Amino acid sequence: MNRLVLLAEMVERGAARYTPAGLPVCEFSLKHESQVTEASQPRKVSMEIRAVGIGDIAKQLQRMDIGTRGSFAGFLTNQRNGRGIVFHVTEVEVCSGSDI
């Protein structure tokens, strides 16, 4: 199974563009910070990940303000050049300040 759900903040967003088939595309970056337990020890986690939304979700993502926090769900795949991964977001739920 390839499913990722991440509570994160949108920190960067590229200009709106379209696929050759005419689908809207939104490329953006998400930042996540949390504390997890690993080997019975607390660990702070901080990371940024490249993300993309295609189709109707791209329109929703383009309307979001930078700094918006939410729950982003989707799947991971390789970048086109094969270096690194990209998070394909298929669902987003904006969180209020107390949710994250």
Side-chain angles (χ1 to χ4, degrees), residues 39-79:
S40 301
Q41 298 295 315
R43 177 179 177 176
K44 288 187 179 182
V45 176
S46 180
M47 62 152 207
E48 284 193 30
I49 189 169
R50 301 283 312 148
V52 65
I54 299 173
D56 290 339
I57 195 77
K59 296 175 189 176
Q60 182 180 355
L61 292 161
Q62 282 292 342
R63 290 190 302 266
M64 290 174 58
D65 293 328
I66 300 299
T68 298
R69 296 177 180 195
S71 174
F72 298 83
F75 60 93
L76 297 174
T77 189
N78 287 329
Q79 290 182 350

Side-chain angles (χ1 to χ4, degrees), residues 4-65:
L4 176 64
V5 178
L6 191 64
L7 293 176
E9 175 183 350
M10 181 186 280
V11 293
E12 182 183 338
R13 183 183 55 241
R17 67 177 184 86
Y18 293 86
T19 67
L23 293 172
V25 176
C26 179
E27 294 179 319
F28 58 105
S29 293
L30 293 171
K31 182 176 182 179
H32 169 85
E33 293 180 335
S34 64
Q35 183 169 317
V36 297
T37 302
E38 181 179 39
S40 301
Q41 298 295 315
R43 177 179 177 176
K44 288 187 179 182
V45 176
S46 180
M47 62 152 207
E48 284 193 30
I49 189 169
R50 301 283 312 148
V52 65
I54 299 173
D56 290 339
I57 195 77
K59 296 175 189 176
Q60 182 180 355
L61 292 161
Q62 282 292 342
R63 290 190 302 266
M64 290 174 58
D65 293 328

